[in-house]
Amino acid sequence: MNAPVSARGLFRATGKKSKPVAIRDLEGNIVKADVLEREKDDFYPTPPEPTRAFLHAEIDRLRDFGTIWEPAAGDGAMVREMEALGLTVRASDLIDRGCDADIRSFYDFPVAPSPAIVTNPPFAECGWGNGKARWLKHALETLDVEYMALLMNWSWPGAGGLAPFYAAHPPARVYLMRWKIDFTGQGAPPMLNGWFVWDRAWRGETILRMLDRKDARQGEFDL
């Protein structure tokens, strides 16, 4: 699926000028923040730090798989981080952005090319609303993947309508990143983001962990 859509909830603009929006900062306060103009196709590459911190936490489990599937590869930002640690990655997306991805819709895969998915997914199709959690259901129910890690806005589990899905598919591990992710490289408003990991090998309650920037730095050297 197309990775650019995953940033839509972070950057909202009306007409040609951005308008301030109310957001919750890292201390829990409601503040007004300016938002940036959208890129014409809503494409914002995932910066390396979130991926490196995640890989530092999950690399041992990821090495259990022969191949990792990145189905919203974009320009290959996550692919490059995973390959740097010696992982074999199969990339796909709707748009060719020069990372040698298989240009094919996520929904056109009747069988997953790998039992493990790691990606920054299309947020609009992971919520309930118009998407009805279509992307998530295709991965976990139709493709029946063994492992899936998604970079999502921290508020995602609380979206209206998702309770039945979340009850049927509780994640194994959730990693809250304790720093602001700037998807544009131009100073994004403070937003809480996290990695949600589904792992069929896990038995038990969902584990919550905090990730700091030091995890991202350590992730550079987990070869």
Side-chain angles (χ1 to χ4, degrees):
M1 201 57 212
N2 195 2
V5 185
S6 61
R8 282 190 180 181
L10 307 182
F11 312 102
R12 297 183 180 179
T14 301
K16 296 183 178 180
K17 294 183 179 180
S18 297
K19 295 182 179 180
V21 295
I23 64 169
R24 188 179 298 276
D25 66 17
L26 297 179
E27 284 72 47
N29 303 309
I30 301 297
V31 298
K32 288 286 187 178
D34 290 333
V35 292
L36 302 174
E37 300 298 330
R38 289 178 176 177
E39 296 293 332
K40 62 181 181 180
D41 57 2
D42 272 338
F43 178 62
Y44 299 94
T46 303
E49 283 189 327
T51 306
R52 290 174 184 173
F54 164 75
L55 291 174
H56 173 66
E58 289 280 309
I59 188 62
D60 289 340
R61 178 63 174 126
L62 291 171
R63 284 179 173 146
D64 290 337
F65 303 101
T67 302
I68 307 297
W69 183 19
E70 218 294 35
D75 69 348
M78 281 190 183
V79 174
R80 290 188 292 274
E81 295 297 331
M82 289 188 278
E83 289 180 338
L85 294 183
L87 297 172
T88 300
V89 185
R90 166 77 178 272
S92 64
D93 207 330
L94 284 177
I95 299 175
D96 184 359
R97 299 187 188 278
C99 71
D100 198 28
D102 182 3
I103 307 306
R104 185 176 178 186
S105 169
F106 179 62
Y107 302 111
D108 287 343
F109 285 89
V111 177
S114 166
I117 290 174
V118 176
T119 191
N120 180 357
F123 186 81
E125 297 190 38
C126 292
W128 194 247
N130 295 330
K132 306 299 181 189
R134 181 188 179 205
W135 204 94
L136 301 168
K137 289 182 176 180
H138 185 69
L140 296 176
E141 297 176 5
T142 302
L143 298 177
D144 194 29
V145 297
E146 180 180 346
Y147 178 100
M148 180 168 71
L150 304 181
L151 177 59
M152 304 281 279
N153 186 283
W154 185 246
S155 65
W156 168 77
L162 275 179
F165 171 84
Y166 208 68
H169 302 285
R173 294 174 290 283
V174 176
Y175 297 95
L176 171 62
M177 284 170 289
R178 299 179 62 192
W179 72 90
K180 177 182 70 174
I181 298 179
D182 180 358
F183 283 90
T184 68
Q186 302 177 49
M191 297 293 290
L192 286 174
N193 290 270
W195 284 94
F196 295 81
V197 180
W198 288 264
D199 186 351
R200 296 191 188 278
W202 173 251
R203 298 290 183 272
E205 298 295 324
T206 301
I207 295 174
L208 173 64
R209 280 188 55 188
M210 304 294 184
L211 294 180
D212 293 296
R213 273 204 167 99
K214 66 179 182 180
D215 298 300
R217 292 192 293 272
Q218 290 171 331
E220 296 180 48
F221 307 105
D222 285 343
L223 297 175

